[in-house]
Amino acid sequence: MSTNVNTPAKEKNKLGSLVKAFRHYYTPFIISIVLLITSVIFTILTPGMIRNLTNEISPVGKEAVAGNFVINMDNVTHDALTLVAYVGIAFLSGFISGFILNTIIQRFSKDLRKQITAKINNMPLDYFDTTQTGDILSVITNDVDILSTSLQNSVGMLVQSGVMLVGVFVAMFIACWQMALVVVCSLPIMLIIISLTFKFALPLFDKNQKLLGEVNATVEENYSGQLVIKAFNAEEKKVEEFREKNDLFGTILYKSQAIGTLIEPAMQFVSYLTYAAVLIVAGLLFASGSISDIGVITGFIVYVSLFQEPLAQIGQASSTIQLGNAACNRVFTFLEQEELPDEGEKKQLLDHDHIRGEVEFKDVCFGYDPKKLTITNFSGKIKPGMKVAIIGPTGAGKTTLVNLLMRFYEITSGDILVDGVSIKKMSRQELRQIFGMILQETWVINGTLRENIVYNLKNVDENRLQEILEETNLSHYVSTLPQGLDTEIQKESALSAGQKQLVTIARAMTENAPMLILDEATSNVDTRTEILIQKAMDSLTSGRTSFVIAHRLSTIKNADLIFVMKDGNIVETGNHDSLMELGGLYSEIYNSQFN
């Protein structure tokens, strides 16, 4: 079984898909960016005011009077208030921008979760057959959270850093081109550090997210299989398997984070070298008279800080950006998986109030693996109202046949007709409305017992519901519950395996579909309960075309027609008496159970 979310060996970058999915938020995003640019512009203007203030209070360049100099407090006050105004506007614009950006990113994350939920309901079953549940859950939870966090921490920062770099770059050359060149010389070094970090860390972050999915899949598998693990004393083995995967995940996580965190001290080292070089050049320029006031130097030091800060931010956020990129690839790879074809335009083809129940299989071929067919050239015709039993050894194709009838899987070739209409022409919704299903694998939701039985139906008659409880032998159990049918149940603990199956049988009875499919419907109940339920099942199937898959042949002796399957084909057909007289596979299986 695959442990990845059906991704190719080398995932394509999905940033284009992310931008496309974000299109509904372009307007508030642009408003946020405009406010962010406004904040950056006023931040860039602050060094100019600092320069003016420095010159106002500095004796350099001023006319000395008796060894003292005169400070114009009006100018100082004006410049100080202007500086405060610039900082205030920058803060307010940045705050509003961040609020808008964070809001739309949270809403975008909500939209992603809605899309994933809708996607799951529209994906073919074979996807879930080849993908571990824990890995899918990791995409839905961890990857969406990481993508959301990455967007929050990086989008605004990247835009702000880009605008800041360009603005400060221009301002530095206007202030002093000689010192600006010194700063520019440090830029390639910083870019090399960032690019090397991305080059070595990005593959590790991609692998990190995939391994996280595998670890989650292992945890989910161990959690759901606790009964088997304990029964076979496999705790140590499972712990060791988890430890191996978790240790590998920890190693990759350590390497990726280590490389990501190396960038910050490296950038700081380059920053301090740049400060030193700028001060040396400033001293030479001041000594030579190229700079006449000290304010240019103090203002330029602020420019250097503003220029280095965006690069440092990018470096510090590189781990988050790369992790977000890996999560983005997994989320959109999942969202771009092939879905079931849309059948919204298909019209209802059958009169559901007058379903005859004739079913015909015409040369049906199917294989879960296209290169290996499970069912080959299966043909058979079922008359309306017949009770059809399907038996055979494990792996003969019994449940597969039913899955094809319900279009859980599409047939490879051939056709299946219901009342003369091809199921290919019918919508899945219409087809599944005319079939009630009782499966061997029980499924109970967290909710009241009533919600579990009624499930997707509305306006169910209370008297009929009570009759169903009697027929399924559930009435006594319901009477012991504190709130009867309205008692909340937990699917893992409140009901036994047999009681869960009785609930699924009651659910099918409540649906009252014109045709029925029973796949080992009484496999989890005891013999006495089975006998009681069998009467209800006989009443339920009376007059309805029904397909019964059973290993207990005592439950299908009264079937109108029995299909005996082997290796994907019908090898014997008839009723119980005729098949026993034939002395073939059916009689062999029957005698093995009762001798």
Side-chain angles (χ1 to χ4, degrees):
M1 180 179 286
S2 171
T3 56
N4 297 327
V5 187
N6 282 17
T7 55
K10 186 176 181 180
E11 287 181 337
K12 295 181 179 179
N13 196 291
K14 299 294 181 180
L15 289 179
S17 301
L18 175 64
V19 172
K20 184 178 179 181
F22 201 72
R23 63 186 180 276
H24 300 298
Y25 297 98
Y26 282 172
T27 300
F29 179 73
I30 291 172
I31 294 173
S32 174
I33 296 305
V34 169
L35 288 169
L36 188 60
I37 292 173
T38 302
S39 175
V40 172
I41 290 173
F42 277 93
T43 300
I44 294 172
L45 292 175
T46 56
M49 300 312 301
I50 293 174
R51 171 184 174 178
N52 293 342
L53 279 170
T54 304
N55 287 334
E56 287 292 341
I57 64 175
S58 171
V60 180
K62 291 211 175 264
E63 185 179 353
V65 179
N68 296 315
F69 65 94
V70 178
I71 298 177
N72 189 330
M73 290 305 299
D74 290 337
N75 291 341
V76 170
T77 303
H78 175 270
D79 291 344
L81 291 175
T82 303
L83 177 62
V84 171
Y86 285 173
V87 173
I89 294 173
F91 167 76
L92 190 61
S93 300
F95 175 80
I96 297 173
S97 172
F99 179 81
I100 295 174
L101 189 60
N102 288 335
T103 300
I104 62 176
I105 287 174
Q106 288 301 318
R107 291 182 178 177
F108 176 64
S109 300
K110 181 180 178 181
D111 290 346
L112 280 182
R113 295 188 192 281
K114 287 183 177 179
Q115 291 177 42
I116 290 173
T117 301
K119 182 77 177 183
I120 290 175
N121 292 329
N122 291 324
M123 292 178 73
L125 284 178
D126 58 2
Y127 176 85
F128 301 99
D129 289 340
T130 57
T131 310
Q132 287 188 332
T133 303
D135 203 17
I136 299 175
L137 291 175
S138 183
V139 172
I140 298 171
T141 55
N142 294 328
D143 289 318
V144 174
D145 283 341
I146 289 171
L147 177 58
S148 174
T149 303
S150 178
L151 289 173
Q152 278 186 280
N153 294 339
S154 61
V155 173
M157 182 271 295
L158 288 174
V159 174
Q160 182 181 26
S161 299
V163 176
M164 184 73 76
L165 284 172
V166 174
V168 173
F169 186 80
V170 173
M172 284 193 301
F173 272 92
I174 293 175
C176 179
W177 65 269
Q178 296 97 327
M179 288 189 287
L181 287 177
V182 176
V183 178
V184 170
C185 290
S186 69
L187 184 60
I189 301 174
M190 291 189 169
L191 293 178
I192 290 173
I193 293 172
I194 294 173
S195 62
L196 287 175
T197 303
F198 271 81
K199 178 180 179 180
F200 290 107
L202 188 57
L204 292 174
F205 279 110
D206 284 333
K207 191 173 183 180
N208 176 72
Q209 288 306 105
K210 292 177 182 178
L211 287 172
L212 178 59
E214 292 186 18
V215 169
N216 284 332
T218 302
V219 171
E220 188 275 335
E221 182 182 85
N222 290 348
Y223 175 78
S224 59
Q226 273 298 298
L227 186 62
V228 176
I229 293 171
K230 293 183 183 300
F232 286 87
N233 294 320
E235 291 93 338
E236 292 185 6
K237 178 184 177 183
K238 287 299 179 181
V239 168
E240 184 60 32
E241 289 177 358
F242 171 77
R243 184 180 291 114
E244 288 178 4
K245 290 187 177 181
N246 195 49
D247 287 348
L248 180 58
F249 169 64
T251 301
I252 298 300
L253 180 63
Y254 172 78
K255 290 180 179 178
S256 60
Q257 294 290 352
I259 294 175
T261 53
L262 279 175
I263 194 169
E264 183 177 354
M267 297 286 279
Q268 287 182 346
F269 177 74
V270 176
S271 296
Y272 285 119
L273 287 180
T274 304
Y275 279 123
V278 166
L279 289 173
I280 291 172
V281 172
L284 293 173
L285 292 173
F286 193 79
S288 64
S290 299
I291 297 177
S292 59
D293 57 75
I294 197 70
V296 174
I297 299 175
T298 56
F300 203 88
I301 291 298
V302 178
Y303 280 132
V304 173
S305 176
L306 292 177
F307 188 78
Q308 301 277 12
E309 184 179 349
L311 293 173
Q313 287 178 339
I314 294 174
Q316 292 169 12
S318 62
S319 298
T320 304
I321 294 171
Q322 292 172 88
L323 199 58
N325 183 65
C328 174
N329 290 341
R330 281 170 57 83
V331 168
F332 284 95
T333 296
F334 179 83
L335 287 173
E336 292 170 10
Q337 289 291 325
E338 184 178 353
E339 295 184 12
L340 293 169
D342 182 24
E343 298 181 331
E345 297 181 356
K346 286 189 175 181
K347 297 180 179 180
Q348 182 173 312
L349 301 178
L350 296 175
D351 181 359
H352 289 201
D353 294 327
H354 300 89
I355 299 292
R356 292 185 295 113
E358 181 182 88
V359 178
E360 183 177 3
F361 296 87
K362 287 187 173 181
D363 299 320
V364 174
C365 295
F366 172 76
Y368 294 99
D369 182 351
K371 298 179 182 178
K372 184 180 179 182
L373 294 179
T374 305
I375 295 177
T376 56
N377 300 318
F378 179 91
S379 296
K381 189 170 184 178
I382 295 93
K383 296 179 181 179
M386 292 183 70
K387 180 179 179 180
V388 180
I390 306 172
I391 74 158
T394 301
K398 304 183 295 297
T399 300
T400 299
L401 193 66
V402 169
N403 287 338
L404 296 179
L405 180 60
M406 292 290 288
R407 285 189 67 192
F408 292 142
Y409 299 90
E410 299 295 339
I411 58 177
T412 304
S413 62
D415 203 358
I416 302 175
L417 308 178
V418 175
D419 284 356
V421 178
S422 171
I423 64 172
K424 296 178 182 178
K425 297 179 181 179
M426 300 168 64
S427 68
R428 294 180 185 84
Q429 183 178 9
E430 179 184 6
L431 179 64
R432 293 164 190 172
Q433 281 177 343
I434 63 178
F435 280 98
M437 289 195 75
I438 304 175
L439 302 176
Q440 180 180 7
E441 183 178 348
T442 58
W443 186 66
V444 181
I445 63 172
N446 288 326
T448 65
L449 189 58
R450 183 188 300 275
E451 289 170 342
N452 271 280
I453 295 175
V454 173
Y455 195 50
N456 198 36
L457 302 177
K458 297 179 180 179
N459 303 320
V460 177
D461 182 71
E462 188 68 25
N463 292 330
R464 176 55 186 154
L465 195 56
Q466 294 301 321
E467 290 175 2
I468 291 172
L469 294 178
E470 290 288 343
E471 291 173 355
T472 55
N473 206 36
L474 272 172
S475 56
H476 174 70
Y477 170 69
V478 173
S479 67
T480 64
L481 299 175
Q483 295 176 309
L485 279 172
D486 296 313
T487 302
E488 292 278 342
I489 61 172
Q490 298 294 323
K491 63 179 181 179
E492 294 298 332
S493 58
L495 299 173
S496 67
Q499 287 171 332
K500 289 179 185 178
Q501 195 152 50
L502 292 177
V503 169
T504 62
I505 293 171
R507 185 185 298 153
M509 288 183 170
T510 306
E511 187 179 18
N512 198 30
M515 302 173 72
L516 287 170
I517 294 173
L518 298 88
D519 187 354
E520 290 292 335
T522 58
S523 60
N524 288 325
V525 298
D526 60 87
T527 305
R528 178 179 175 276
T529 304
E530 180 184 6
I531 294 171
L532 293 172
I533 293 175
Q534 193 62 47
K535 295 178 181 179
M537 302 296 285
D538 290 341
S539 173
L540 181 65
T541 57
S542 177
R544 290 184 171 92
T545 303
S546 54
F547 296 83
V548 182
I549 298 175
H551 286 109
R552 297 181 189 177
L553 300 192
S554 60
T555 62
I556 51 95
K557 286 178 64 175
N558 63 344
D560 300 307
L561 182 64
I562 300 174
F563 286 158
V564 184
M565 295 190 67
K566 184 179 181 181
D567 299 328
N569 290 303
I570 297 177
V571 294
E572 295 176 9
T573 306
N575 58 25
H576 172 74
D577 294 334
S578 64
L579 290 174
M580 289 300 292
E581 290 179 7
L582 185 64
L585 180 60
Y586 177 83
S587 64
E588 180 184 337
I589 297 174
Y590 186 86
N591 290 329
S592 69
Q593 291 190 11
F594 294 98
N595 286 342

